[in-house]
Amino acid sequence: MPSRNAAAVTEIEEAQPTPGLQFNEALSWRAGKAIAVADLLKRLNALSKEMQDMEQEENERDSFTTVAKELVNPNLLAHKDKGVKALTAACLVDILRLCAPDAPYTGQQLRDIFNMIIGQIIPALADPSNAYNNQHIYVLSSLAQVKSIVLLADIPSADTLIKNVFQHCFDVVSASSRSSPAEEAQKNVEANMTALLVCLVDESQTLPPEVVDIIVAQFLRTDPKAVNGSRSKNKKNWVVEEKQSTLFLRQLPPAYNMARYICNACPEKMARYFSQYFNDVVVDASNSSAQKNTSKSKKRHSDGTEDSDDENSGGPTEQALGDLRKVHGLLRELWRACPGVLQNVIPQLEAELAAENIQLRLLATETLGDIISGIGAAGLPAAPTMDPAAYPSDALMNPSENTVSLNLLTKPSSPQPFPSAHPQAYANYLGRRHDRTALIRAAWTTGVGRILSTSAGGAGLSQQEEDRLISDLNGMLGDADEKVRVAAVKVVANFTFRDIVGKLGRLGGVSDSGSLLATLADRVRDRKHLVREEAMAVLARIWGVAVGELSEENEQIVALLGGIPSKILDTYYTNDIEIMVLLDRVFYQYLLPLSYPPAKARSSKLTNGNSQGTKESQGSTDKVGEAIDPDKIRTERILLLVKALDERAKKVFYAIQSRQLMLSKYMNAYLARCEDYNGGVMDENESSIKENLTRLIKTFAGMLPNPPQATSDLWKFAKLHDRRSYQLIRFCMAPESDYRTVYKAIKEFTKRVVDASSSSTASNNLLDTLTPLLYRVSLIVYNKSHVPAIMEYSRTDDKVLAATAHEVLREISSRTPEVLKAHVQEICKTLQDEAPSANRPNAAGAVDNLKACASFASKYPKEMPKDRKFVQAMSNFAMYGSPPEAAKYAVSVIWAATEKKESLARDLAQKCIKGFTFGGEGYLSRLATLSQLMLLAPAEMDEQSSDEILDMAIKQTLLQVREPSKKPADEYAWSSTVDGEGQAKCWALKILVNRIRSHPNAETLADVAPPVYSVLSTLVAQHGELSKAGDTPATHKSRLRLLAARLYLKLCTQKAHDALLTPSAFNALTTVAQDSEEAVRSGFLQRLKKYLNQQKLPQRFYTIPFLLAFEPSDALRLDTTTWIRSRAAAFASAKSTSSSTKSNIVMESVFARLLSVLSHHPDYANEAEDLIDFSRYIIFYLQNVATANNLSLIYHIAQRIKQCRDAVSAPPTPDAPLTEADDRLYHLSDLAQITIRKYEETHNWTIQTLPAKVRLPSSLFSEIKSHAEAQYIAEHHYLPDGVEAGVEDVLKATLRASRAAHHGKKRKAEGGGGDANGRDAKKAKSGWPIRKPARPKEKKAAAAAAASKAPKTPKPKKRKESKEPGSGSAERRRSGRVKEAEKSYVERDSEEDDEEMEMMDVAVNSDGAEEEDEEMSGSEPGSTHDVNKEAQGKEEEEEEEEEEEEEEERVDEFAQEEAEEQQEEAPEAEAVAEANEKEKESTPKPPTTPNSASSASRGKKKSTASPHSKTKPSPPRTKTTRATRSRAIAV
């Protein structure tokens, strides 16, 4: 039974049919008998529910035939009710699902179905609130999951449908992103649409171009320009997307994500489509270019002109170029989103790199750079904010800038490292750095900077690759084209502070030659102003941001960036007015910003990063803000800046501050004249007021780059007659104004000028003209608000700024003591508390406070305290002050400020004399006090006191050697420190000199001064040795020799004292410039240049700097060369304003003196090799002085030497034979003429015959009385064979080295070595020889015997070579041969003695000789002068002269550029040519034939084969020197 029942059940199951669709209601109707909508919806809903539960394999396909047919009835597909359509679509997608893979529809029916779905259902998904949204979602998910959408590809001509489905899908997700978050479409809609489109792309053999365009458009949604451009067309309906309404997006647009997913899902197909798309755009651009060329060609042919060779002439049209830019921007975003689709495009982009058209190459270069950097269509992220005025400054450990950008669209991102994915394209891109077009190189530079700053879009760079890119960027900073250099500088500006230190600084800092930062620092001296401006601003901003780390003594930051201020301020030496104005702006906007520190400091740092908006954090911020002292913070930054400066830069810094004092006087005068001008309405003195105002405006306009524009602006400012602006400028200049007042005055003045400029009556450039002048006259740094903080730092040494604070305080006291008025009482009170005694020393910083008080008391004695305690404190400093300078300044304060100064001076002198013992209590202070009393109060010293003081100075100090040297007698060394005995000898020497400096009667000076001059001369000639035993310590000798030389200079600043310095003693003094110790040479030249700048020394002292031709110290030689050229330029510029011929040829007249000094040089010899070496002095002179305009004068002076005899050794008598000194002069004259001729040929200049007579100094030269002797000397050629060729070689080598140094090339050091006497070293030209000190040797007798016949010229004997051991590369050859200078201190008996050369007309020469030296500044002390007043003046001079760190150069005497560069400057050459023409018009024309003496000389030389004297026709000038003008204001 069980088996029979089982079999029966099986038979029944087999007999039952397969289950199918049970729905059997009608869905279609005939016309006029429509089914009610409610019934129709009910039936469709029932059908949809039944089919949704059915599976494909479990149902009979034939059961769907009827339903399938009815569902495609037009009555349903085109029904007006949306619900009917939604349910119909839901049923249709189920039919397609259940009947898959064969759809029960024809192609036309499928078209109708998809038309309805694509046109009605998919767009309805944008509205999630739709009542049939569930049915819409079901339709979408079914098409995506079942992939029924692939049937669309089988429909013939379905491109429109495919395009519409892509268009509607992207529109839906885009619309949903603009909805509020609560109404956004479900995430699965986006996912299903993405799957739908991916399936369609994957299954379609080809996609319509319109579809590719639609996909491409989605990637441009990140481009703000494209999005805003499309929205701006219909602003009324413009709905701002919430996600894009903020700068920082949290997620990318959904349409963008969908397009990215499609491309990443089908990379191969999409790569093909994108490649074709890119190619079509390029082809279209090429076609437009061809059409453009054709039209241009037709036009040129019609005009009869030839084709242009410009490679950019065949570029695409503007429209095509715009399309190219758009598609290249698309490539940037495609690389970020889906780099796989660009596998075929990158080679095309690579091919564009080699395109002939500049625009295509430029686009390709920019695009590849951004692709590698991961920068998309949205562009670059916001530039890092490096605010130099921010406080606190950024720190490396807690940087303020966000290293991770919050904006996802602009955050650089590269999915894969481009160099690895496309190595060939990357290599070709790097090759664009050598592109022939500067525009391409500039774009490449920008791209490389972005690659470095973004680390290749976050993908990372290897250490080797990063170093290579940094090296390439470094090279771009030195590119030949300014656009490339500017681009490179701007690239550095876009790096964050952390990257500048960590990346760019890895190869070295600004002081490390060859590093990127050093090259950037070199750009501040670039020839192009735009490059200089960008580089200076970038460097200054970097330093301003680094101030915080610098203040914390971060060694890495100090090494990398500490030298930036020096590099910037060093540009002042170029003497370029544009650079000076730029430096003012950079100085007060970046290095020392006027707004630093800001009123509201950044709370994020003040609260240690606590950004929570709680009351606690706000309270802590308020407390910190209250604790901030802006004046102290600003002072700290000033001190940090000064501390970071090198010596050259410090001179500029102090010069800038010192300039304010003088310019403020000009500005006050200008404002007063403006008030008198009254806007152009004057009642009286109209012409006088206008004349004065014109003169002042001309002065100010000369300080600015565009004098005509500046003149116009200053006149307009005067016509505005804004009295408030006048007062604001006065506030800025007033010493009584604190910093806050000055800052507010500048801000208000700027606003008023801007408002005035906006009117039609004022120039738009008015602010640009007035701002530099306002900066220069304002008391910004030397402000009274900074004095308390400077004093505090000087006492506490906080952050190791005490030394710098003392230095700045000294400068303030000496330059602008007015600002100390409010604080002088405090300073005096501090000194009173710190006064020393026999048992207690004074504080270390007291000497600086004393110096400040002394400077202040000399100008404002009434402001000083008069009480007894203060006077007693000053007396204690005078007796026990340490260092001794404290005693000196204390005496100055007593003499200037106290009422009973005479009695106090006598008492101090007696106290110092009484009980004086060397090494006793306060012996150094006593000597310093006596030294100052000898200068200030000589009348208070009675005869007995003077004798005792001289005994203390000479017998007990100078002539005693208490610690004899055990080293050889010729030992000579320098030490930065000096012991007590050395200091005592220095003060004793000052006592002797101050005694004759203060001598009241010039007539009796010759009776008092010779012993002092004898001591000074001995110290100079004997290299600091006074002891007969020769046992003075080596370090004492160098100190004493330097001091003696400097005291010589100080004495010669007075004419009466200068008359006592004989030519032979002067020649001995010049050898100090060649001392073996650099410190001695530098110290001597420093003081010499200072006095010459101040015009305190006679013109003969200009000879000494030219003896530095063999200077081994590059810094000292460069500094001296710069100074010489500056002085030469200053004298040259004075020619247009001075009518005195004598003042116009100062540097040219020095040449005769230089030859005289060289003829008496201890190393001179008439041998060929020695003469060739001596030609270096002449070449050094020519390089720094000679121009095309004055070379003829210099050559004439060299010729005149052979028409005179030497008058230095011994005044010759008319019948005396020629001496060895005469023979030396004639050798040097011929050597100078040869060298000048070679120099002329090298520079392609022409030497003209002068129409005037040149007189030589009568103290050095005397006329030859015998005509026969004069003719013989003129015709005789004195130089031995080989000299001319040797001079030519030396000249060429020197000029090559000069050009190499000028162009920044590193000059190779010359080889060293040599035997004991230095001959090998001389032959090998090893190093620059320096004079070595030695014991003076006995002068040999003259070798020449008296000759009865004039033609006989005695020849000097050869001198023996020095047997002294060499001293390395610093040894001067035969340095042991030192002549003992002859000493004679008698008054010169001729008014023409030592007369300077002057150019005079021949007709004027009969009137007689004029005086030689121009009158020196300062009055000569005489008996008629008030002694106290004279002493007060001497004290002020002493205070100024004793400053070791005082500024040595005036602002208008900074360096000119190299002579070679000057000759190549075309604009300046035109100015010179014009000046030459004017000079020729005012100068008598030279005769056509030279004078007889010159003709005879040249003829003789020609017969003796001397080609240098051959007369040549004047070649046309191809080069001319630039007319250098010193427009800076003298300090």
Side-chain angles (χ1 to χ4, degrees), residues 372-387:
I372 300 170
S373 305
I375 297 173
L380 294 168
T385 56
M386 295 204 303
D387 184 9

Side-chain angles (χ1 to χ4, degrees), residues 927-980:
L927 290 174
T929 298
L930 292 174
S931 170
Q932 196 70 355
L933 288 174
M934 277 293 185
L935 178 69
L936 301 178
E940 311 307 325
M941 303 293 107
D942 53 27
E943 184 175 353
Q944 181 179 356
S945 298
S946 298
D947 292 342
E948 292 178 355
I949 292 173
L950 292 178
D951 180 77
M952 292 167 53
I954 299 175
K955 293 183 180 180
Q956 298 185 44
T957 306
L958 277 176
L959 299 181
Q960 297 292 328
V961 180
R962 289 173 171 77
E963 295 182 5
S965 175
K966 298 180 182 180
K967 297 181 180 180
D970 61 348
E971 183 71 20
Y972 188 79
W974 177 267
S975 175
S976 58
T977 58
V978 60
D979 58 14

Side-chain angles (χ1 to χ4, degrees), residues 1128-1179:
F1131 286 122
S1133 64
K1135 290 183 180 180
S1136 59
T1137 58
S1138 175
S1139 59
S1140 174
T1141 307
K1142 179 167 57 178
S1143 63
N1144 293 342
I1145 60 169
V1146 174
M1147 303 304 287
E1148 292 83 355
S1149 65
V1150 166
F1151 190 59
R1153 293 186 173 277
L1154 176 63
L1155 295 181
S1156 175
V1157 169
L1158 293 177
S1159 68
H1160 293 276
H1161 197 281
D1163 288 346
Y1164 179 84
N1166 287 335
E1167 300 173 2
E1169 196 169 9
D1170 297 281
L1171 291 171
I1172 292 173
D1173 276 354
F1174 265 66
S1175 69
R1176 290 177 181 265
Y1177 292 109
I1178 302 173
I1179 295 172

